[in-house]
Amino acid sequence: MDVPRRVRWQYYVYRVTNSMGFYVPVSVIYLLHRGYGLEYIGLLQAVFSVSLLVAEVPSGYLGDRLGRRRTLAVGSLLRAAGLLGYVVVDFAAGYLLLKICFGVGWAFRSGNRDAWLYDVLDSYGDTACFARVDSRASTALLLASAGGALAGGVLYGLDPALPFLVNGTVALLGLPVLAAMPDGSGDHGDNPVTVRTAVDTLRAQTRRPEVRWVVAYTVVLFLVFDLTRTFEQPALDAIGVSTAGMGVLYAAFKLVSAGAAAAVGQIQETLGTRRSLLLAAPLVGLSYAAIAVVPLAVVPALFLYRSLRVVIRPIRNQYLNDRLADVGRATVLSGVSMVLSLAGAFARVGGGAVANRTGPLLFLAGAGVTLSLSAGLLWIAVSPVRPAAPGDVVASADD
């Protein structure tokens, strides 16, 4: 049975309301212009990661227990509050509180969003199209973010608070869209998800090599992405890119990422899950090594990392979803995000101190090369992508 077009478009529109396009291109520059250094900015990003970490498993549990649509709505409200707070907050502790609010809101969205989509597709017997539908939604999100990035630079020039005000409003628009969406939570009948079930499910999944090692491999790669996102604006500032120029550049980032997202289905069909993930490590290593030799190479490296990120995420989540039961799916996916958040928090705190000494360009070059080599060694040692265990139902065409 085909998934109704109405349901797919509701999901696409909801994803568009998740856009951070107005805010992201100026988020770090905004703080730098107010006298905050890279160490404080690294601390803020670490606080975001820790907040995400603490909220991840509870958010997945609530999604499994109370309904994913309701949990997604809470996430929209919290993200809106974290953005709109920039309009009135202008002190260090206040920004920390906003990051906590934003991090918790992000957690309420992460695992639940993917679990909701997979459950809805499963109800129509079409889970094999998960990566394709998710990547199309990512394309819509990135195109909207490209427009937002262009507008964000202009709005910042008019009033630095405007990008945050507009982006917070966009997040609030997700509420009526969610109200029209199907809930997507499966009926667990006589086996409702409890806290004990959630903990037991996480423990059981981490013992499975086919789950554990693909998570570990992608965590290492996503650390490159997390560190880059934190320090890319200072790096661009170091090569002379203006605030308005960053808006244009971020719009271009989004457009290229949108193209990559639209190609996910074709990439997965052509290369398969194994080769798609394997090629990511050497591509990252080579592009970031070039920054140490030619500082301007940071620009193509930023284009590449964004493209790889939007390709890797749906392929990884398709792989994991195919190996997870409906009961506790959001909990497990939130657990994956929890691991990413924990690793990112440590990396950002340490990264801020190192970047202050080496400069953002040399730091990004060193971090990218080191982490891509680590990912390559992990692949050689444990072969992360493995066939499904007996009893798993795999919809992917190629593992």
Side-chain angles (χ1 to χ4, degrees), residues 119-160:
D119 282 350
V120 169
L121 296 178
D122 190 37
S123 69
Y124 291 97
D126 197 12
T127 57
C129 72
F130 175 89
R132 185 172 69 253
V133 173
D134 188 62
S135 63
R136 287 177 179 174
S138 294
T139 302
L141 169 63
L142 290 163
L143 289 173
S145 296
L150 284 173
V154 176
L155 291 172
Y156 186 89
L158 298 174
D159 185 335

Side-chain angles (χ1 to χ4, degrees), residues 105-123:
W106 200 271
F108 273 64
R109 185 215 61 168
S110 56
N112 284 295
R113 185 192 69 198
D114 293 327
W116 175 86
L117 175 60
Y118 197 86
D119 282 350
V120 169
L121 296 178
D122 190 37
S123 69

Side-chain angles (χ1 to χ4, degrees), residues 61-72:
Y61 165 73
L62 288 174
D64 285 326
R65 178 76 177 183
L66 303 178
R68 284 149 198 169
R69 186 177 57 177
R70 294 176 184 173
T71 310
L72 290 171

Side-chain angles (χ1 to χ4, degrees), residues 175-259:
L175 296 176
V177 178
L178 284 167
M181 288 165 57
D183 192 350
S185 297
D187 181 3
H188 302 144
D190 296 328
N191 297 298
V193 177
T194 65
V195 173
R196 183 182 181 87
T197 303
V199 174
D200 289 345
T201 299
L202 278 175
R203 184 183 297 116
Q205 295 308 317
T206 56
R207 292 173 179 167
R208 298 172 60 195
E210 67 270 25
V211 171
R212 177 173 67 245
W213 292 121
V214 82
V215 170
Y217 175 77
T218 54
V219 162
V220 175
L221 288 178
F222 272 70
L223 277 180
V224 181
F225 306 154
D226 287 342
L227 288 171
T228 302
R229 187 163 187 168
T230 302
F231 301 108
E232 65 189 3
Q233 289 179 25
L236 291 171
D237 191 45
I239 62 172
V241 179
S242 66
T243 303
M246 285 187 193
V248 175
L249 195 55
Y250 271 77
F253 289 157
K254 299 296 184 183
L255 290 173
V256 170
S257 298

Side-chain angles (χ1 to χ4, degrees), residues 221 224-229 231-233 235-236 239 249-250 252-253 256-257 280-310 360-369 372:
L221 288 178
V224 181
F225 306 154
D226 287 342
L227 288 171
T228 302
R229 187 163 187 168
F231 301 108
E232 65 189 3
Q233 289 179 25
L236 291 171
I239 62 172
L249 195 55
Y250 271 77
F253 289 157
V256 170
S257 298
L283 287 174
V284 168
L286 291 172
S287 63
Y288 278 72
I291 299 172
V293 181
V294 182
L296 288 175
V298 70
V299 175
L302 296 182
F303 277 105
L304 178 66
Y305 110 74
R306 280 176 164 78
S307 299
L308 287 175
R309 184 185 182 101
V310 300
L361 289 166
L362 187 57
F363 170 75
L364 287 180
V369 171
S372 62

Side-chain angles (χ1 to χ4, degrees), residues 295-352:
L296 288 175
V298 70
V299 175
L302 296 182
F303 277 105
L304 178 66
Y305 110 74
R306 280 176 164 78
S307 299
L308 287 175
R309 184 185 182 101
V310 300
V311 169
I312 290 172
R313 192 190 67 81
I315 291 176
R316 179 203 64 192
N317 286 347
Q318 172 94 54
Y319 173 92
L320 292 174
N321 269 309
D322 288 340
R323 288 156 176 80
L324 301 173
D326 174 64
V327 177
R329 176 175 289 124
T331 299
V332 174
L333 293 177
S334 289
V336 173
S337 294
M338 180 185 70
V339 174
L340 288 169
S341 301
L342 180 61
F346 283 111
R348 285 163 174 166
V349 170

